Amino acid sequence: LQNLSFFVNIEEMTRQNSIGNLDLVTMLALIRLDDEAYGVSISREIKQLVGYEVALGTIYAVLERLERNGMASSKLGESTPERGGRAKRYFRITAKGLREVNRLRRAFIKLWQGVPELAGRKA
Amino acid sequence: VTHRHPPRAAAWLLDCFVGRNQALIGDIAEEYRTGRTQLWFWRQTVMAALRSTFAEIQSHWILALRAAIFGGVFLFCFNYCIVRPFGQFYTDVMWNVDPILVSGGWSFRTLLFITFLPDVPVLCLGFAVGSWIVARLHRPYKAAFTLMNAAVVLVVGTVQIVVGVVRLYIYVGNYQKRHYDPDPHHFWFYVIVCFWVFELSLFVASTLAGGLWNRPSAAVDSV
């Protein structure tokens, strides 16, 4: 029952803010990359963070959703020959996004503290 | 295999579906040139196309609904005004040319000249024209709505095939009982089911071809 309430809390938390797991991972990648966050670098950072590759189209869908919700902003950068002359689109996390990440971090820590298995003790 | 040039068909599809997001196409091109395989490029293309389609349908669902309804109504009218009269005319002509072919039993000739030839090419034309009109009426979202209409054709067609298979199975079973045919797996049962699947793939292809017709291809070479 305790485990069930854990998932209910997470679901409630993510629903209120429209943030899924990938959204959170992407926002963390934006924070880590700072000024160098564009599609390719975000994709590589996510692979490093979670261990599997996410399609670039999926990452853009998340970034555009975050931008719509005011949690990220973007600006066009330089174009290079290996990109077929297309400009890079750099993303940054906004103050609102940063607040959401912090709020989620605090909530997760609080939830994990209530799970004995994760503290190395027997239930 | 060279990494300088991505698969042309995939690059063309990418341009069709995410042409407005040049940064994404640039990212895929940049990553591809680091030594990624053609399969990787295809996977990125399919994912980007699906994501873009879902996003556009979600944000313009009323227009998407209108596009789907228009496509359905057009096909309904096309079927009653053109396919059926043409099929009847064709059957009349064939009756005069070869009555045995029209009234005879199952054969590959009957399947080709009576079942396939009058209806399927005309219906393909209907799917292509309907999809083309829908795309012209919804230019900013033409790729997404074309894919949506092709998916609708695929789903409706699959349901029709499943219903048809059940009915055909019952019919073949009754036929075998009447004719004391001991073979429970009637050869024509499989031929007709394969024909239906082939027919449906032609309809889906026609819908895609009609909607994606005349897309700008200038960007393809530079991916």
Side-chain angles (χ1 to χ4, degrees), chain A residues 100-113:
Chain A
E100 277 306 313
V101 172
N102 269 321
R103 202 186 65 78
L104 281 169
R105 191 174 69 97
R106 281 197 300 272
F108 272 114
I109 289 169
K110 218 165 148 184
L111 283 162
W112 279 329
Q113 280 170 347

Side-chain angles (χ1 to χ4, degrees), chain B residues 75-88:
Chain B
L75 266 175
F76 183 83
C77 297
F78 189 84
N79 188 33
Y80 274 90
C81 299
I82 296 180
V83 179
R84 286 192 176 200
F86 179 74
Q88 189 59 50

